[in-house]
Amino acid sequence: MNRVALCLGGYVCGLVLAQYFDFPDSLTFPVLLCYSLLLILLLLNHSPRLILYGLFLFCLLTSLLRYPAQISPPAAGELDLLPERGVVRLEGRVLATQERQDNGLVVDMLVLSVESKPTAFPTDERLRLYIGNADRAPSVGSRLAFRSQVRRTRNFGIPGEFDYVRHLAYRRIWHTAYLSDARGLASFADPPIGFKAQIDLLRQAGLRRLNNCLAKDDAMLLKGLLLGEKGAMPAGLRQQLAAGGISHLFAISGMHLGLLAFFLYGLLRFLYSRSSKFLLWQPPGRVLWFVILPALFFYLLVTGDALATRRAFYALLVATSLCLMRRRIEPIHLLCTLAFLFLLFEPLALWQPSFLLSFSGVFGILLWQKPLGRLLPACPWLLRYLLQLFGISLAAFIATLPAVVFIFHLLAPAGLICNLFAVPLVSFAALPLGLAGLLMSPVFPALGEMLLKAAALTLHWVIDLAGWTSSLPGLNSRSIFLTLPETLLILMVCLSLLIAAQRKKALLLTFSAVCLLALAPPVGQSTELILFSVGQGESMLLRAAGKTLLIDGGGLRSDSFDVGERLLAPALGRLGIKSLDAIILTHDHPDHSGGLDYIIKHFKVREFWSTAAVVALRPELSQALLKNGVAIHQYDFAGWKRCAPGGLESLSLFTASVAAQGKNNHSLCTYLPTDAGGILLTGDLEATGVDSLLESVLPGMVSLLKAPHHGSRHSSPERILAELQPEIVMVSAGYQNSYHFPSQELLDQAKRQNAQIWRTDLDGSVRLRVDGQDWQVDHWVKGLFR
C-alpha cells in the first residue's frame, strides 16, 4: 500500500472523528511529543508493518489536534467583546465580493476599527457582511464604513444541517453583519490597495461587460462559467442544472483551468514546432508548461481564486516540476499526495463541496482508467470514444455519489447521459467562445458580443437537452435524505464498484456493507419528543407506540431560506425517518407552517390534521396536500377529544371555543400520556386561549409542557406554569430574537417552581425520552444528541 494513501486515510479519519469529540488543549503538546518519540522508535525498528501502523496513527492524531484549532475563533477577539444587541460603527477593507439572488451582495472584509460608544478600538478580524440590495459591488481592497449589529456565527443546532460555522471558519470568518441596502455603506476616496485589488478591477470590468452585452439570464450563465460569479443564479435554474447532473459545468472548476492549459499548450506547441532551434534546444513538453503557468495564475486570480481552480493550479505546478526533474509517478499516487498536502494546510477544505467532488471524481476516473484501456482497444474509434466517455462519466458518477447524497441530498441519474453531450459542448464550444468573447470585447466590441452570444446560446442548448433528458422515465432526479450509517453504506458500495478489478478488496467491502445493513438498529418503541431548533419558528417530532408525527414545520421571514428543505428534511433523514404517520399543524402562521410544503412533497405523509379547512390554508400548502394524496382531517370540535391522528390512539387534541380571537388562540393543542407524566403541546395560545385551556378538563397531569407562543408574556406564563406544575418546560425561540422570547416572566416562574427550562435558542434541538418514570433530556451538540 502506498504510504501517502495510508497517511491520507489516517488524516481524513481523524478530521471526521474530531468533529464529534473534544480534545483537551492542555494535552495537545504532551500527547504529540510522546507519539512523535514513539514514531521515531518505530522507524528505528525497521519493521515495515509497524511503520505503516505508526504513520496511520500519527496522521490520525495530528488531524484530531488540528481540527479544533482551525474551527475555533482567535482567543479574546475584539468583536466578541461587543454588546450582543448593540449597533456599532465598523470600518474595514474589502477582501472578496459575491453576488446574491434578488440584487443582494456578500462582502468579506477585514475589519480595521470598531466604534462602540463610548469607546473605539482597532482590530484585524474578518467579517462577512450581507447586503439585501446593492447596485454594484465595491472593489476588492477599497475601504468601507457602516453601522450594524455584529453577530457571532452559529448553527441552528439541528441534525443534518449545513455547518455554517465551519463553512465560514474555513475562510477565517467568525462574525457576520447585515445591511438592508448598500446606501448604508460609506466609501472612502483612497484607491484600492494591492495587486489583488487591481486584478479584481479587471474581473469587475468583465462582469460589467457581460451585463452590457447580454440579456440578464445569458449574462448570469456566463458569469458563473467564465468568472466564477454564480451566487446570483436563480434557485429554479440551480435545481434544473442539479436535476440534470451538470451543475459542475456552470461554475469555475479545475476542468476550466485544465482546458485553458490544453488550448494554450496546443497553440504554443504549434508555434514552438515551427522553430528548429527551439526543438533542438529542449522538447516542448519540458518548456511550454512553465511558459503558460503565469497565464493560468492570472486566470486563477481573475476568476476569484476559487478552491477548485487553486487546487488544479497546484496540481499542474507539481506535475510541471516533476516533468522538469524527469520524474515519473503514478497519477493516483500524485492525487493522494496533493490531497494530503492540501488538507495538511487547510484541514477544513475536507467539507468544501468542490474539494470532495473534484478529488473523488478524479479518483474514480483514475481507478477505471486501466480497465477501460484494456477493454476498449478492439472497438472502432467512434464507438471507442463514446464508450470511453460513458465509462469516464460512470466512474465519476459512482465516485461522487456519496458526497452528492451527503451534501446535496440529491440523486440525479440523468447526469450519466447529460454529461455525454454537456461536457464536450461546454468544454470545446461554450468555454472557448466565452473566453474569446471577453478578450475581444474591448478591442472588437461587435465580434466580442457575437462570440459571447454564441457561448450563451450553446449553454441554453445544453440546459434544454439536460431538462429533456432528466424528464425521461427512470432519469428523474429525487431528493434523498439518509442517516450516517446509510451514507457510509453507499460509500462502501461505491468504493467496491470502483475497485472491482481488485476482487478480494471489493468482496471485503461488499461483505462489510452487508453487515452494516444487517446490524442497523431497529426502530424504537419508546416515547420520544424532539423540539427542533428552527430559528424563530416551531417544529416538533413525536414518536410513540411505533408512530411518528410531525407537529408544525417552522419557517423564517426570508423567502430564500426554505426551512423544510434546509433544516427539517435533513433532520428527518439523519434520524432515519422515511415517512410520517401524521402531520399536525397547530395553526397556519408562517413560522409554524413554512417548512411543511417541502416535507409533504418529499416524504410519504399519511394524514394531515389542522383546525382550518384545506381551502383556508396557504395555497402552496393546500396544493402540496392535494397533489400528494394526503388524507386531510379538520378538527372543528371545541375542547378535548381523543382522535388518534396517525393511528396514535392515546393522543388527544384540543382547541378553544370559536369565541377565541385569532389563529393563535385557536391553536390545535395535543396531549399524550406517558409513564413519566403527560406531554402538553400548546401551539401559540395567548392569554384568551390559555384561559380556555385551563378551564377545560385536561386528560391527565402534565410533567412536560411546551410553553405557549414561544414563551411570550402575552400567553399568561405565570398562570399556566403555576396551575399545571410541569417538571420540564420547553421553549422554541430564535437566537437573540427581536421579540425577546422567552419572556422574563416565564423564566422567573419556572425558577420559582424549580422547573427545568430547555430552549432552542441556547440549547439547540432538544430530545426528551421516557426512561422508566423519568425524562432523559439530551440536546444536539457536535453532531450527536448528548
Side-chain angles (χ1 to χ4, degrees):
M1 181 184 293
N2 181 262
R3 289 189 178 186
V4 175
L6 191 72
C7 291
L8 175 63
Y11 195 77
V12 169
C13 288
L15 290 176
V16 171
L17 293 174
Q19 63 183 323
Y20 299 108
F21 303 104
D22 291 318
F23 198 92
D25 294 336
S26 58
L27 296 179
T28 299
F29 179 74
V31 170
L32 194 58
L33 178 62
C34 293
Y35 197 82
S36 299
L37 295 174
L38 177 61
L39 183 62
I40 293 173
L41 293 176
L42 290 175
L43 292 173
L44 294 175
N45 193 39
H46 300 295
S47 172
R49 188 179 295 272
L50 286 177
I51 290 174
L52 289 177
Y53 291 155
L55 286 173
F56 180 87
L57 292 174
F58 182 77
C59 292
L60 187 145
L61 179 64
T62 302
S63 56
L64 281 173
L65 299 177
R66 279 187 54 75
Y67 179 85
Q70 295 291 312
I71 201 72
S72 303
E78 288 85 353
L79 296 183
D80 278 328
L81 304 178
L82 296 175
E84 288 188 351
R85 299 179 185 271
V87 175
V88 297
R89 181 183 182 277
L90 299 105
E91 182 181 322
R93 288 202 178 273
V94 176
L95 299 175
T97 63
Q98 184 180 1
E99 295 180 359
R100 297 179 71 195
Q101 298 180 41
D102 302 324
N103 211 35
L105 192 67
V106 178
V107 180
D108 291 344
M109 58 191 306
L110 179 67
V111 180
L112 301 176
S113 65
V114 180
E115 182 181 332
S116 177
K117 292 183 179 181
T119 61
F121 51 88
T123 182
D124 59 351
E125 296 184 49
R126 294 188 177 191
L127 176 137
R128 171 160 288 190
L129 173 64
Y130 293 95
I131 304 176
N133 183 48
D135 294 331
R136 60 189 300 269
S139 302
V140 170
S142 59
R143 195 155 58 100
L144 303 174
F146 61 94
R147 298 183 64 83
S148 178
Q149 179 181 343
V150 175
R151 288 179 176 268
R152 177 74 170 272
T153 57
R154 69 189 308 273
N155 295 322
F156 283 88
I158 186 171
E161 71 173 311
F162 174 72
D163 198 325
Y164 178 67
V165 172
R166 184 167 58 203
H167 175 71
L168 289 186
Y170 172 70
R171 292 158 177 80
R172 315 304 294 169
I173 295 173
W174 286 276
H175 295 87
T176 62
Y178 175 77
L179 283 179
S180 59
D181 197 284
R183 287 176 294 184
L185 286 174
S187 180
F188 291 83
D190 55 327
I193 295 176
F195 173 70
K196 191 174 181 180
Q198 303 305 315
I199 294 293
D200 185 70
L201 292 176
L202 294 177
R203 182 172 183 266
Q204 296 298 330
L207 294 173
R208 289 194 297 271
R209 198 168 298 137
L210 292 175
N211 286 329
N212 295 334
C213 293
L214 303 171
K216 183 178 179 180
D217 291 343
D218 296 344
M220 207 172 298
L221 289 174
L222 287 179
K223 283 179 183 179
L225 178 70
L226 303 177
L227 296 171
E229 188 62 76
K230 63 182 186 300
M233 191 176 290
L237 180 57
R238 289 177 184 268
Q239 292 172 0
Q240 189 176 354
L241 296 177
I246 56 173
S247 298
H248 61 288
L249 298 176
F250 287 77
I252 290 294
S253 67
M255 184 191 74
H256 296 70
L257 198 75
L259 288 171
L260 181 60
F262 172 78
F263 289 127
L264 287 176
Y265 182 80
L267 176 62
L268 292 177
R269 183 184 176 90
F270 174 78
L271 298 175
Y272 193 93
S273 62
R274 304 276 78 82
S275 171
S276 57
K277 182 181 295 186
F278 284 157
L279 290 173
L280 291 173
W281 173 56
Q282 289 289 346
R286 302 263 322 266
V287 176
L288 296 183
W289 288 113
F290 283 97
V291 175
I292 65 175
L293 279 176
L296 297 178
F297 182 68
F298 178 78
Y299 179 72
L300 168 68
L301 296 180
V302 169
T303 54
D305 192 20
L307 173 64
T309 44
R310 191 193 320 158
R311 183 179 56 251
F313 180 80
Y314 291 156
L316 188 61
L317 183 63
V318 171
T320 303
S321 303
L322 291 173
C323 181
L324 180 65
M325 295 185 294
R326 300 182 182 181
R327 293 285 301 274
R328 296 183 64 87
I329 184 173
E330 284 289 330
I332 200 161
H333 293 167
L334 176 62
L335 182 72
C336 291
T337 303
L338 291 172
F340 181 61
L341 292 175
F342 208 88
L343 290 176
L344 200 59
F345 289 100
E346 298 182 348
L348 300 186
L350 179 64
W351 289 273
Q352 298 298 310
S354 60
F355 179 90
L356 282 174
L357 296 177
S358 296
F359 269 103
S360 58
V362 175
F363 179 73
I365 292 171
L366 292 178
L367 283 178
W368 275 25
Q369 183 183 27
K370 290 182 179 179
L372 285 176
R374 290 194 298 265
L375 293 173
L376 299 179
C379 302
W381 72 269
L382 180 59
L383 181 60
R384 182 170 67 248
Y385 169 76
L386 292 175
L387 290 176
Q388 187 173 23
L389 187 59
F390 179 77
I392 290 173
S393 177
L394 180 60
F397 177 83
I398 294 173
T400 57
L401 180 61
V404 171
V405 169
F406 180 73
I407 299 171
F408 301 107
H409 311 291
L410 183 71
L411 181 63
L416 286 172
I417 307 300
C418 293
N419 280 291
L420 296 180
F421 58 80
V423 171
L425 284 174
V426 173
S427 303
F428 300 108
L431 184 60
L433 287 171
L435 290 174
L438 272 181
L439 293 174
M440 291 289 183
S441 293
V443 185
F444 304 105
L447 177 60
E449 183 175 346
M450 183 180 69
L451 292 173
L452 290 173
K453 288 182 177 179
L457 181 62
T458 305
L459 293 181
H460 280 295
W461 287 345
V462 170
I463 293 172
D464 291 341
L465 284 171
W468 176 80
T469 304
S470 60
S471 66
L472 296 175
L475 296 180
N476 309 93
S477 67
R478 65 213 63 166
S479 298
I480 179 169
F481 301 95
L482 304 175
T483 63
L484 284 178
E486 289 170 340
T487 306
L488 181 60
L489 174 66
I490 290 179
L491 175 63
M492 296 166 71
V493 170
C494 290
L495 189 57
S496 64
L497 290 174
L498 291 173
I499 61 171
Q502 305 176 33
R503 296 181 182 178
K504 290 183 179 180
K505 294 180 180 178
L507 287 174
L508 179 61
L509 276 172
T510 305
F511 176 74
S512 302
V514 171
C515 292
L516 182 65
L517 184 63
L519 295 175
V523 179
Q525 297 290 315
S526 62
T527 301
E528 175 182 272
L529 177 69
I530 299 177
L531 180 64
F532 288 128
S533 178
V534 291
Q536 189 51 41
E538 189 165 286
S539 182
M540 291 167 283
L541 184 75
L542 178 62
R543 294 200 273 196
K547 305 297 182 181
T548 304
L549 286 72
L550 182 67
I551 303 169
D552 287 338
L556 299 175
R557 295 187 214 175
S558 172
D559 294 332
S560 61
F561 191 98
D562 188 331
V563 168
E565 178 183 8
R566 302 283 292 274
L567 297 179
L568 286 183
L572 295 178
R574 181 65 64 88
L575 296 172
I577 296 168
K578 310 302 180 187
S579 63
L580 295 166
D581 294 292
I583 289 178
I584 297 177
L585 176 60
T586 60
H587 62 296
D588 193 13
H589 275 169
D591 61 330
H592 288 252
S593 67
L596 292 180
D597 312 352
Y598 188 89
I599 298 300
I600 293 168
K601 292 175 184 176
H602 295 87
F603 287 79
K604 183 179 179 181
V605 180
R606 180 181 160 196
E607 298 177 4
F608 178 85
W609 288 74
S610 172
T611 57
V614 65
V615 294
L617 299 172
R618 284 185 301 106
E620 298 84 0
L621 178 56
S622 60
Q623 289 171 14
L625 289 167
L626 295 173
K627 185 177 180 179
N628 290 274
V630 180
I632 301 171
H633 300 272
Q634 181 184 3
Y635 186 82
D636 53 3
F637 179 85
W640 286 102
K641 187 176 182 180
R642 185 172 293 185
C643 299
L648 186 54
E649 297 180 354
S650 57
L651 191 68
S652 301
L653 301 178
F654 168 89
T655 55
S657 65
V658 293
Q661 297 295 314
K663 289 184 179 180
N664 282 350
N665 281 319
H666 207 52
S667 293
L668 185 58
C669 303
T670 59
Y671 179 88
L672 179 72
T674 73
D675 293 338
I679 300 174
L680 178 61
L681 311 177
T682 57
D684 268 3
L685 292 181
E686 296 177 355
T688 304
V690 169
D691 290 342
S692 180
L693 174 69
L694 295 178
E695 290 168 3
S696 69
V697 179
L698 271 70
M701 63 167 289
V702 176
S703 64
L704 174 58
L705 171 71
K706 198 285 299 177
H709 201 193
H710 314 282
S712 167
R713 62 185 178 87
H714 299 294
S715 59
S716 302
E718 302 101 321
R719 184 185 175 198
I720 192 171
L721 264 66
E723 293 204 20
L724 298 181
Q725 293 291 314
E727 298 174 11
I728 300 174
V729 179
M730 299 190 304
V731 180
S732 178
Y735 183 69
Q736 292 186 2
N737 63 86
S738 58
Y739 307 101
H740 301 277
F741 293 154
S743 66
Q744 192 60 45
E745 290 86 343
L746 181 140
L747 299 176
D748 292 341
Q749 182 64 30
K751 185 176 181 180
R752 284 193 291 269
Q753 297 180 195
N754 292 322
Q756 297 182 46
I757 287 279
W758 292 92
R759 39 193 290 190
T760 59
D761 59 336
L762 301 181
D763 303 311
S765 296
V766 181
R767 183 181 68 183
L768 300 103
R769 284 180 168 177
V770 174
D771 183 11
Q773 295 185 343
D774 296 317
W775 289 104
Q776 176 185 333
V777 185
D778 305 298
H779 63 112
W780 188 257
V781 182
K782 285 183 172 289
L784 297 169
F785 274 117
R786 314 172 185 232

